[in-house]
């Protein structure tokens, strides 16, 4: 995949010895040092929902382009597990299955300048990025949408396209742990989506919320993290480790489309101290509580594990956890059946051993 030559700002690609092993790259953004939540971390693009994401005007816009309410309703998953944030409020005029995808598309545009539009080929697995006529046009629209989210609908009307809801596939859902005190009291319920493009699009940073961008393969991102070149939040480590299963973008796109139909549940990591580190226990692990305290209001908190990380692992029949010895030593440990048709992460050490690569 090649980068466009015009008006790309920030870091672009980061080739390493791993780059030849993947035919795709992942978009990662560096949060500002002034961010209240996880400053300086490299994250996937995204943000919070807005009332504009639920505006009824979206239905009219889709209808104008030939997509009626039945077409939109077909995007709503039914008769499968759904995460807590998909629970609808009474006054919502658009299903959350649609509104949250609109929010993801909007925030991606605000933070990176990448605007997803329905592909002219009609593909439901490959999306397309709109090509603005100039950097000034892109910058102007990005600032307008950032200041007023309802301007996203105006932008799509202006360019004569619709947001590509069809290519945006649910991947996972993570809820901030209740005891993450170093991040203050801010907690987020975050759904992760995938969207595949046939080439790397133009990017433009806002230089406020986001200060750098990287298009890099999953293995190189994890390598940089373990080499302490930048910091990744635990969910990013887990999900990038999942992506190590996919060398070809086409395989990833096909898998995402099938897995999406199986639904999701909310994952609340439950943290537990060990003698030599910290465990982040995830659903399916032998140590995961039967009734997780999603709100953090229970007086009964998980106690420390009476032993080491290795001893905890040896005593658990089912594993789905992250092990920490420090903030840069975050290792995925999974043993057992995956949930909702998903793949298990591959630890970076396993990836290196499988490729017989000792140095990058």
């Amino acid at each position: 995949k090649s980068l466009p030559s015009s008006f790309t700002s920030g870091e672009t690609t980061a080739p390493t010895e791993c780059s030849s092993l993947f035919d795709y790259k992942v978009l990662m953004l560096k949060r500002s040092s002034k961010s209240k939540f996880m400053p300086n971390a490299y994250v996937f693009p995204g943000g919070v929902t807005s009332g504009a994401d639920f505006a009824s005007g979206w239905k009219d816009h889709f209808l104008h382009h030939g997509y009626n309410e039945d077409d939109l309703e077909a995007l709503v998953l039914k008769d499968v597990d759904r995460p807590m944030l998909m629970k609808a409020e009474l006054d919502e005029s658009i299903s959350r299955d649609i509104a949250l995808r609109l929010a993801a598309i909007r925030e991606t545009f605000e933070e990176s300048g990448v605007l997803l539009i329905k592909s002219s080929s009609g593909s439901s697995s490959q999306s397309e990025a709109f090509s603005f006529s100039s950097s000034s046009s892109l910058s102007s629209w990005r600032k307008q949408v950032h200041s007023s989210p309802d301007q996203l609908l105006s932008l799509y009307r202006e360019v004569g396209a619709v947001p590509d809801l069809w290519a945006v596939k649910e991947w996972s859902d993570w809820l901030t742990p209740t005891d993450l005190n170093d991040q203050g009291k801010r907690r987020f319920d975050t759904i992760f989506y995938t969207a595949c493009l046939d080439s790397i699009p133009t990017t433009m940073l806002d230089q406020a919320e986001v200060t750098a961008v990287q298009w890099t393969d999953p293995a190189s991102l994890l390598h940089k993290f373990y080499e302490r070149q930048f910091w990744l939040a635990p969910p990013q480590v887990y999900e990038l480790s999942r992506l190590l299963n996919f060398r070809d973008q086409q395989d990833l796109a096909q898998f995402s489309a099938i897995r999406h139909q199986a639904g999701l549940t909310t994952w609340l990591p439950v943290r537990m101290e060990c003698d030599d580190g910290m465990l982040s226990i995830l659903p399916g692990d032998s140590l995961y509580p039967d009734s997780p305290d999603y709100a953090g209001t229970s007086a009964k908190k998980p106690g420390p594990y009476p032993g080491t990380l290795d001893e905890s692992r040896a005593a658990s029949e089912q594993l789905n956890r992250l092990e920490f010895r420090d903030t840069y030593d975050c290792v995925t440990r999974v043993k057992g059946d995956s949930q909702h048709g998903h793949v298990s992460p591959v630890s970076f050490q396993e990836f290196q051993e499988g490729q017989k690569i000792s140095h990058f």
Side-chain angles (χ1 to χ4, degrees):
K1 307 302 191 321
S2 61
L3 277 168
S5 59
S6 60
F7 51 93
T8 300
S9 60
E11 299 176 62
T12 54
T13 59
T16 73
E17 196 166 340
C18 280
S19 297
S20 63
L21 302 175
F22 297 83
D23 77 344
Y24 66 93
K25 299 184 185 298
V26 181
L27 174 59
M28 300 293 292
L29 308 175
K30 184 181 181 182
R31 293 180 62 84
S32 166
S33 61
K34 298 179 182 178
S35 297
K36 294 180 180 179
F37 189 76
M38 295 188 176
N40 296 311
Y42 270 86
V43 298
F44 306 123
V48 299
T49 57
S50 163
D53 304 321
F54 296 86
S56 59
W58 283 111
K59 292 182 178 179
D60 297 331
H61 181 68
F62 278 103
L63 184 60
H64 179 73
H65 287 269
Y67 301 99
N68 59 33
E69 290 203 28
D70 288 340
D71 295 321
L72 297 180
E73 185 64 21
L75 292 166
V76 179
L77 292 179
K78 300 179 179 68
D79 302 320
V80 292
D81 289 335
R82 307 302 291 129
M84 293 188 298
L85 85 171
M86 286 294 182
K87 184 178 180 181
E89 302 291 341
L90 294 177
D91 58 347
E92 292 176 356
S93 58
I94 287 183
S95 166
R96 291 203 166 197
D97 289 62
I98 295 170
L100 291 180
R101 283 185 238 188
L102 287 170
I105 290 171
R106 175 179 54 78
E107 285 285 349
T108 297
F109 177 65
E110 289 183 25
E111 293 186 331
S112 69
V114 177
L115 183 70
L116 297 183
I117 61 173
K118 182 78 169 123
S119 171
S120 56
S121 68
S123 172
S124 62
S125 60
Q126 289 274 352
S127 189
E128 186 177 322
F130 179 75
S131 180
F132 287 83
S133 59
S134 65
S135 59
S136 60
S137 176
L138 169 56
S139 178
S140 174
W141 273 110
R142 193 198 57 73
K143 290 178 181 177
Q144 288 181 62
V145 174
H146 180 78
S147 299
S148 182
D150 60 4
Q151 287 300 300
L152 184 69
L153 177 54
S154 300
L155 171 56
Y156 277 104
R157 287 170 174 163
E158 175 74 17
V159 302
V162 296
D164 194 353
L165 305 177
W166 292 264
V168 176
K169 308 297 187 184
E170 290 183 9
W171 184 259
S172 62
D173 184 281
W174 292 75
L175 179 62
T176 307
T178 58
D179 63 341
L180 203 61
N181 298 322
D182 55 344
Q183 298 296 332
K185 295 183 179 180
R186 295 169 66 89
R187 298 181 66 214
F188 295 94
D189 191 352
T190 306
I191 189 164
F192 289 12
Y193 295 98
T194 61
C196 296
L197 300 164
D198 62 6
S199 62
I200 295 177
T202 296
T203 54
M204 176 173 285
L205 306 184
D206 62 6
Q207 296 296 343
E209 295 180 11
V210 174
T211 58
V213 60
Q214 283 202 6
W215 290 94
T216 316
D217 64 88
S220 296
L221 288 163
L222 290 166
H223 172 65
K224 287 193 169 194
F225 167 68
Y226 289 120
E227 289 294 310
R228 300 172 183 257
Q229 295 179 31
F230 58 58
W231 187 70
L232 295 169
Q236 272 75 9
V237 174
Y238 193 100
E239 300 303 352
L240 287 169
S241 299
R242 270 178 166 163
L243 291 180
L244 294 180
N245 288 284
F246 303 95
R247 308 301 174 86
D248 300 323
Q249 181 177 273
Q250 184 176 0
D251 292 342
L252 173 59
Q254 290 175 348
F255 172 82
S256 296
I258 295 170
R259 198 237 57 80
H260 170 88
Q261 298 299 324
L264 290 173
T265 56
T266 302
W267 276 21
L268 170 68
V270 176
R271 306 205 307 166
M272 183 180 297
E273 292 185 13
C274 290
D275 291 346
D276 58 347
M278 174 76 74
L279 289 171
S280 183
I281 306 297
L282 301 169
D285 193 285
S286 297
L287 292 179
Y288 200 75
D290 294 331
S291 300
D293 179 21
Y294 291 103
T297 56
S298 174
K300 185 178 180 181
K301 305 296 181 183
Y305 183 84
T308 65
L309 292 171
D310 290 347
E311 290 169 343
S312 166
R313 193 184 328 126
S316 300
E317 181 178 350
Q318 300 289 319
L319 299 176
N320 192 22
R321 62 182 64 178
L322 292 161
E323 295 179 353
F324 301 84
R325 286 182 168 84
D326 64 42
T327 54
Y328 287 89
D329 188 353
C330 172
V331 180
T332 57
R333 304 286 188 186
V334 178
K335 182 177 68 174
D337 296 334
S338 61
Q339 303 172 354
H340 301 99
H342 228 314
V343 291
S344 297
V346 177
S347 75
F348 188 63
Q349 181 180 0
E350 292 171 336
F351 175 82
Q352 287 180 294
E353 293 172 349
Q355 295 303 315
K356 294 182 173 59
I357 296 174
S358 57
H359 298 286
F360 287 81

